[in-house]
C-alpha cells in the first residue's frame, strides 16, 4: 500500500480526536491520500469505524456490548485505551447535557435522565470533574445531594480584554473608512491610479488592439 504503520496510527488518532471533540463522524482530511482509508481498514480501521458509528448514535448499551465482544481484538490492535477514552468523553457529554435541560435534579434523577451508564457515586465524581474544568456551572448540596445548574460563568478577568478588543476593532474600522474616503476624494491619488492603469501591459495591449 506504501503507507507505514505511522500513517495508519496517525489516522486512528485523528479519527478519535475528531470524534471526542465534535461527537460526529470524522471525514478523511482533504490533504490525506485517499488510499489511506484502505490501508487503515486492513488493520484496525474496521473496528474504529464500527465504534465511531455507535458513538455517534450515542446509545451506551450497544457500545458496551461492542466492547465486551471485541475486547480481545481491540487489545490486539492497541485500540482499547482510545475507545475507553472516547466512551468516557461521551458519558461526560451526556452529563453536561443535563445543564441544558434542568435547573435542579437529585443525583438519583441525574442517573436516570443522563443515561450515562454511571451510578450515583460515579456520577457525582464526574460532575465534580466537569465543575472543576469549568464545563458546567453547578453546585452539589452536601445536605441532600441535589444538583443545581446555573448559566455558565463569564470570567470577570476576561471581560475587560474582550471590551478592549472590540474597541480596537471599531477604531480600526473607522480608520479604514476614513482612509477610503480620503483616497476617493484625493486628486493626486486618482491621477496616480489612472496613470498606473494606463501603464499596465494589459491596458497597453487593449489600446493597441483597438487601434
Amino acid at each position: 500500500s506504501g503507507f507505514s504503520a505511522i500513517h495508519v496510527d496517525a489516522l486512528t488518532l485523528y479519527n478519535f480526536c475528531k470524534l471526542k471533540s465534535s461527537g460526529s463522524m470524522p471525514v478523511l482530511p482533504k490533504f490525506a491520500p485517499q488510499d489511506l482509508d484502505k490501508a487503515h481498514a486492513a488493520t484496525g480501521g474496521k473496528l474504529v469505524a464500527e465504534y465511531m458509528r455507535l458513538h455517534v448514535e450515542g446509545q451506551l448499551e450497544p457500545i458496551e456490548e461492542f466492547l465486551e465482544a471485541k475486547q480481545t481484538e481491540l487489545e490486539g490492535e492497541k485500540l482499547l485505551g482510545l475507545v475507553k477514552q472516547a466512551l468516557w468523553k461521551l458519558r461526560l457529554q451526556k452529563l453536561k447535557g443535563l445543564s441544558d435541560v434542568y435547573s435542579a435534579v437529585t443525583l438519583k434523577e441525574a442517573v436516570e435522565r443522563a443515561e450515562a451508564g454511571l451510578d450515583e457515586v460515579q456520577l457525582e465524581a464526574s460532575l465534580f470533574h466537569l465543575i472543576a474544568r469549568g464545563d458546567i456551572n453547578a453546585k452539589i448540596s452536601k445536605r441532600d445531594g441535589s444538583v443545581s445548574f446555573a448559566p455558565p460563568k463569564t470570567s470577570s478577568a476576561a471581560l475587560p480584554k474582550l471590551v478592549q478588543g472590540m474597541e480596537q476593532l471599531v477604531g480600526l474600522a473607522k480608520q479604514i473608512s476614513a482612509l477610503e474616503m480620503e483616497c476617493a476624494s484625493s486628486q493626486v491619488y486618482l491621477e496616480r491610479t489612472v496613470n498606473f492603469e494606463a501603464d499596465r501591459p494589459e491596458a497597453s495591449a487593449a489600446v493597441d488592439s483597438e487601434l
Side-chain angles (χ1 to χ4, degrees), residues 116-170:
L118 302 171
D119 59 30
E120 287 189 28
V121 175
Q122 293 170 327
L123 185 138
E124 185 176 14
S126 300
L127 285 173
F128 276 124
H129 174 76
L130 290 172
I131 293 170
R133 282 169 48 96
D135 291 335
I136 59 172
N137 183 14
K139 293 182 179 179
I140 302 176
S141 171
K142 293 182 179 179
R143 182 173 56 84
D144 58 6
S146 62
V147 184
S148 301
F149 297 105
K153 293 180 179 179
T154 301
S155 172
S156 57
L159 191 57
K161 291 183 179 180
L162 180 62
V163 173
Q164 183 181 8
M166 293 298 294
E167 290 175 347
Q168 289 176 345
L169 287 174
V170 171

Side-chain angles (χ1 to χ4, degrees), residues 11-20 22-28 37 40 44-59 63 66 74 82-83 86 90:
L11 180 57
T12 297
L13 290 173
Y14 169 82
N15 284 337
F16 274 103
C17 286
K18 293 289 287 185
L19 186 68
K20 289 195 295 181
S22 66
S24 58
M25 189 70 77
V27 178
L28 190 68
D37 260 344
H40 191 234
K46 291 181 180 179
L47 290 171
V48 174
E50 187 174 355
Y51 174 77
M52 289 193 299
R53 178 182 61 79
L54 294 171
H55 186 106
V56 172
E57 291 174 358
Q59 301 299 316
I63 293 177
F66 168 80
L74 290 168
L82 290 171
V83 168
L90 180 60

